Amino acid sequence: MAYETSNPPKCVLSGFGGSASLYVYTDGDAHGTVSGAAYFANGKDLGMKIGDVVIVQNTTGYTTTTHSVSAVSAAGAATVSAAVLA
């Protein structure tokens, strides 16, 4: 599968811990796919910043993983770190 901008991660807590925000993303993509380079094509438009936390709920494998935003490109795509399995 691929990221669809019609199903973006949702910011559920803005600015906790001083500056980071918390996002929740629910989709059928595996955590390895979600942590691919520039997966969140519109991350900058969503307000994602380096250090933000993203909780990914996989609706196919029924797993939940935690990631952090590791890069936001000049074009606005966000990349998240490899998964921390929860």
Side-chain angles (χ1 to χ4, degrees), residues 20-77:
S21 294
L22 175 65
Y23 289 82
V24 173
Y25 179 61
T26 303
D27 190 73
D29 285 351
H31 61 84
T33 301
V34 173
S35 61
Y39 179 81
F40 294 107
N42 61 341
K44 184 175 181 180
D45 290 340
L46 297 171
M48 296 177 108
K49 303 175 304 304
I50 292 174
D52 287 348
V53 175
V54 182
I55 296 173
V56 176
Q57 297 174 307
N58 180 307
T59 59
T60 302
Y62 303 102
T63 57
T64 299
T65 54
T66 305
H67 305 256
S68 61
V69 176
S70 58
V72 179
S73 72

